[in-house]
């Protein structure tokens, strides 16, 4: 056990600069770090990419340097601990992990270093924490005053309202019960009020100070399009805007994951499938390639992504609609952690609405749980159908008001009250809106009349056929040409009527009955629409990918490198090749060695001496010492 004398702690910003090579704190980092260094408990809510890790890593370093011992980090993802710890070691921080991937000898070695006071951070999976051996270790550390801080990452895993519930997280209360004097910091990117309250309750964080950051991710451009031909639309999106760039494509089913990955590959895109049904070693291989190689597209179910801290994911596409806004926002948040332009692009259609409703209806959960889930789905549908700023709606959902972006030319037409972010599809190209009140009334009354006449309900396709006056066999069989609404909506296209149906389901005027062949049923909210008391205004069914969008420039110019002149570009390329080698040698992703932005900054500066490398963001003291000479050599040679 170490007997470190209590030293004066260096100021947090000194650690930030020296260890991590960053000139300044972001957002609330500074206040959080100060609070935790002083021994306060904290609950940190920050969006993905906001910089949560430093909120406990800097206190861990500061507290270790003043003789308070090791910080225990609970992280749910064994597969990523290696890279997280690798990144810290690259920065010269004594970190290690304990998990089931280590053999006995490695485990003993780490335990020995832990008890010798040689570690600043120890990462462990939640299931390990409750084991007698581990509790014994912590007891010993605590008895010597060497248990400094508990950091609980991805804290929403403790809540069933979050979307990654892990029962093992519930056991973490033992930390507080057994060692109440050790401060705790819990962190999550999930912000809704129900989940937050649940985290506080479950982890007994009632006295913890809450630090809620803005959830806005200004560099992410949100776009939601109507689903027509998913594979073709996705392909067009990637080829048009993200060729050669890393991205994630989320699908609802494993089958779809595999099909889409194959389709993308056929078109020359470096795509890999990922879902829980693949063998563990294959999943690991695909994840490694995504993290380590450039420009890989991961086609995945939501089993993929938590804890992935790859900074240069340029797009996140949803081919199927997710379950709720929390999930959607968390998943899209994986794009653009480096702060450079990135895209969140979602497709949705009537079938998505039907499927998601059915999954809730058929789940074995309690009725009030289902009710909460339906409410969350409705909020997402409203977002998808929205004709105003997506970002304002997203932030509004998390209880936050958006600050309007400046408008070019500041035209007064829109008035100050209208939310405008300038970086979502609706702001960039306001959608056409049509008055669908008449179509909605006709659809609803058709559903009503069919039910009345035949005594059974019918599906969406047939109901639309009636309204459009199509003489199908089914029409004849049921005598539906005689209905008063037959042919009454001939002026509407099927796409328009689908849009109306989607909206009617979204607002709870219609229900799709999964127990009866997906037939349509009227619900209470249909009444005011039928009576003409409530107007229905909808997005005009968009034509094929709109011209303006095709002309749109690529959303992400290849990083800061775009601004480099030819000589600097050559240095940048050489530095990347060198980095790839180092990364391979160290068995770590390239961005753990240096971010692209750091390499671009070096390339731009054309450094001749170590002194000229000072002050480049992302180049801390250890990296400077370890790689400085090499970097200079590569630059000179290029
Ligand atoms: P989160 O865990 O909140 O999603 P991370 O801790 O992974 O975010 O940080 C996201 C990215 O931002 C990382 O690449 C990190 O190195 C970088 N970063 C964090 N804080 C700062 C800062 N103060 N200055 C510059 N870069 C930062
Ligand atoms: Zn907007």
């Amino acid at each position: 056990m170490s007997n470190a004398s209590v030293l004066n702690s260096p100021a947090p910003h000194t650690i930030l600069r020296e260890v991590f090579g960053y000139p300044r704190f972001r957002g609330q980092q500074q206040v959080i770090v100060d609070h935790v260094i002083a021994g306060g408990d904290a609950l940190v809510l920050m969006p993905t990419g906001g910089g949560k890790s430093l909120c406990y890593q800097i206190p861990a370093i500061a507290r270790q340097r003043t003789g308070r011992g090791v910080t225990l980090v609970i992280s749910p993802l064994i597969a990523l601990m290696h890279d997280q710890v690798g990144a810290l070691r690259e920065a010269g921080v004594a970190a290690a992990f304990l998990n089931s991937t280590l053999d006995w000898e490695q485990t003993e070695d780490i335990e020995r270093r832990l008890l010798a006071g040689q570690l600043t951070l120890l990462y462990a999976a939640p299931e390990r924490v409750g084991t007698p051996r581990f509790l014994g270790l912590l007891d010993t550390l605590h008895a010597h005053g060497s248990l400094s801080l508990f950091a609980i990452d991805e804290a929403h895993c403790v809540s069933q309202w979050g979307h990654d519930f892990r029962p093992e997280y519930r056991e973490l209360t033992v930390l507080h019960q057994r060692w109440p004097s050790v401060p705790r910091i819990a962190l999550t990117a999930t912000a809704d009020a129900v989940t937050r309250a649940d985290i506080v309750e479950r982890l007994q964080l009632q006295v913890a100070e809450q630090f809620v950051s803005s959830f806005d991710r200004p560099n992410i451009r949100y776009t939601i399009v109507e689903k027509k031909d998913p594979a073709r639309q996705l392909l067009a999106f990637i080829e048009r805007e993200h060729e050669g760039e890393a991205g994630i494509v989320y699908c609802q089913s494993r089958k779809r994951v595999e099909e889409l990955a194959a389709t993308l590959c056929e078109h020359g895109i470096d795509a890999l499938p990922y879902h829980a049904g693949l063998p563990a070693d294959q999943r690991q291989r695909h994840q490694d390639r995504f993290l380590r190689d450039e420009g890989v597209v991961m086609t995945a179910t939501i089993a993929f992504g938590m804890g992935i801290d790859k900074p240069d994911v340029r797009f996140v596409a949803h081919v199927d609609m997710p379950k709720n806004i929390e999930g959607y926002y968390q998943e899209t948040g994986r794009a653009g952690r480096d702060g450079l332009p990135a895209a969140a692009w979602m497709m949705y259609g009537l079938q998505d609405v039907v499927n998601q409703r059915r999954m809730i209806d058929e789940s074995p959960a309690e009725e009030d749980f289902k009710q909460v889930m339906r409410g969350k789905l409705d909020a997402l549908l409203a977002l998808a159908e929205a004709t105003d700023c997506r970002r304002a709606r997203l932030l509004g959902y998390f209880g936050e008001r958006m600050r309007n972006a400046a408008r070019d030319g500041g035209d007064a037409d829109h008035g100050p009250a209208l939310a405008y972010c300038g970086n979502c599809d609706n702001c960039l190209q306001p959608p056409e809106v049509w008055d669908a009140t008449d179509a909605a009334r006709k659809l609803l009354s058709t559903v009503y009349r069919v039910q009345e006449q035949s005594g059974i309900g019918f599906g969406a396709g047939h109901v639309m056929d009636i309204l459009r006056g199509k003489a199908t066999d089914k029409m004849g069989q049921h005598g539906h040409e005689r209905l008063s609404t037959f042919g009454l909506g001939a002026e509407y296209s099927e796409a328009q009527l689908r849009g109306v149906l989607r909206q009617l389901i979204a607002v709870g005027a219609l229900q799709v009955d999964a127990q009866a062949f997906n037939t349509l049923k009227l619900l209470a909210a249909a009444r005011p629409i039928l009576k003409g008391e409530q107007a229905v205004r909808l997005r005009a069914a968009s034509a094929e990918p709109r011209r303006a969008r095709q002309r749109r420039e690529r959303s992400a110019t290849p990083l800061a490198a775009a601004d480099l002149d030819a000589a600097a570009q050559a240095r940048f390329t050489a530095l990347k090749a060198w980095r790839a080698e180092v990364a391979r040698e160290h068995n770590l992703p390239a961005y753990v060695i240096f971010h692209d932005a750091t390499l671009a900054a070096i390339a731009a500066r054309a450094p001749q001496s170590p002194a000229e490398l000072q002050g480049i963001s992302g180049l801390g003291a250890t990296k400077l010492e370890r790689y400085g000479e090499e970097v200079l050599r590569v630059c000179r040679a290029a």
Side-chain angles (χ1 to χ4, degrees), residues 388-392 402 419-428:
D388 52 2
C389 178
R390 310 269 192 203
R391 189 180 311 275
M402 188 183 71
Y420 177 84
C421 76
N423 198 23
C424 75
D425 53 355
N426 288 351
C427 282
L428 290 165

Side-chain angles (χ1 to χ4, degrees), residues 31-53:
V31 265
I32 297 167
V33 162
D34 287 344
H35 178 79
V36 175
I37 289 178
D41 289 344
L43 174 59
V44 173
L45 295 100
M46 219 183 243
T48 312
K52 283 186 286 300
S53 320

Side-chain angles (χ1 to χ4, degrees), residues 41 44 46 60 107 135 144 147 156 163 171 187 190 201 210 220 264 288 325 327-328 345 372 440 496 507 571 598:
D41 289 344
V44 173
M46 219 183 243
T107 304
L135 292 174
H144 290 80
L147 192 51
H156 62 279
H163 35 87
E171 312 296 317
L187 311 101
T190 300
E201 172 87 30
Q210 295 192 13
I220 298 182
L264 294 181
D288 283 349
I325 290 184
Y328 168 76
W345 185 85
V372 174
Q496 281 177 317
V507 301
R571 284 189 289 275
T598 303

